Amino acid sequence: MSAALEHFTVRARLRPTRPKRDLAGGRRDPFWESARDEAISELRINQRHINGVPHFTTAEDRDRVHELAIVKWNSRWEGFEDKRNQPVQSHQISRPVPNKVTPALSPPFILNQIPPDPRPTEDDLRPYLTGSSGVPELDRFNAETEWREARIKQDKDAFLVPFVSWIKPAIDYDAYLRTSLWKGIKGEVLDKAGGKCACCPRRATEVHHRDYRPRVLAGEDLSSLVPVCRTCHDLIEEERDKTWERGEASLAKLVEIENQRLTEDESCASSPVNSS
């Protein structure tokens, strides 16, 4: 590496895998590189292209560019998808864009409080700390697993069940999403929301699970199911892949912003028009 490039050792991050984009069978995203280059220019970050990839002098510069590039990338794709979904309009008939929901006024979406998982006390775990592997952390993990299974036998809805492998009895979640039971639950949630995404003005086409308790999977409790569009769902899931809490925080923020927009729209609609 030449002396002019020796300080540019931090390689740019890869394009996000979520939200999933329709690349028409290709691997190259038409919007990512331009969004990243625009972010570099806007932030005035010093960088060099090495083998066609931007390199930075610090990880902080790389991360600042990446965060802004994601915002611009999502904006480009959302504009493109809105145009792609817009039907051909005649001169005589004006039709709404099918990807938008345009009721007179949509009510704000209220996120319910999810009951927290019970936590074992030392007294709870004592009966299960019977073996010794020589690794205290492993012994405690095994004890917590046995305690959890005992609690599930007492109350199948005791736990949020954030990991499918914990569900007792174990289920194939992908297969569950193909059942008529889930299709009926999904349809009911979308109908109740009037087909609107809880996180933005777009049409809801999917339903986000905040709770995987058996009563929720059986359709007995719909309060923790959220109607969402594909873009918002992917954004939420991307954060939840990092931690469960980040997914919840992302959802809450999106809903808060959308509810604020709805409130402002309602205020404007109810304000009298001054005539002069």
Side-chain angles (χ1 to χ4, degrees), residues 24-138:
R27 299 182 61 185
R28 184 163 185 156
D29 189 304
F31 298 126
W32 174 248
E33 291 184 6
S34 62
R36 185 177 59 193
D37 290 344
E38 185 177 325
I40 291 172
S41 176
E42 186 172 317
L43 294 172
R44 298 182 179 179
I45 298 294
N46 197 14
Q47 58 84 34
R48 294 291 185 274
H49 274 70
I50 302 175
N51 296 327
V53 179
H55 284 64
F56 307 93
T57 57
T58 67
E60 181 181 2
D61 284 350
R62 175 201 61 194
D63 293 343
R64 288 176 60 204
V65 166
H66 189 73
E67 290 174 3
L68 182 57
I70 289 176
V71 174
K72 294 179 177 297
W73 178 64
N74 283 327
S75 178
R76 282 169 165 76
W77 267 106
E78 288 168 6
F80 171 75
E81 289 174 342
D82 282 348
K83 291 180 181 178
R84 182 169 58 182
N85 290 332
Q86 187 171 5
V88 177
Q89 299 184 7
S90 68
H91 295 293
Q92 293 78 22
I93 301 174
S94 178
R95 297 185 179 92
V97 180
N99 200 34
K100 300 283 187 179
V101 179
T102 55
L105 288 174
S106 297
F109 189 87
I110 307 301
L111 292 176
N112 71 316
Q113 293 293 322
I114 303 294
D117 281 356
R119 304 280 299 182
T121 64
E122 293 302 320
D123 289 339
D124 290 332
L125 294 180
R126 191 167 290 115
Y128 304 102
L129 289 168
T130 55
S132 178
S133 65
V135 182
E137 294 81 3
L138 179 59

Side-chain angles (χ1 to χ4, degrees), residues 114-121 123-129 139-170 210-214 217 244-245:
I114 303 294
D117 281 356
R119 304 280 299 182
T121 64
D123 289 339
D124 290 332
L125 294 180
R126 191 167 290 115
Y128 304 102
L129 289 168
D139 291 338
R140 185 176 182 87
F141 173 80
N142 291 334
E144 288 184 358
T145 300
E146 292 185 36
W147 169 83
R148 182 184 179 106
E149 292 178 350
R151 284 297 302 267
I152 290 174
K153 289 180 180 179
Q154 297 172 358
D155 178 6
K156 60 184 177 62
D157 291 311
F159 294 92
L160 175 65
V161 194
F163 306 105
V164 175
S165 60
W166 283 98
I167 297 178
K168 304 295 182 180
R210 300 178 62 218
D211 189 332
Y212 292 85
R213 288 179 171 85
L217 298 181
W244 186 269
E245 292 75 17

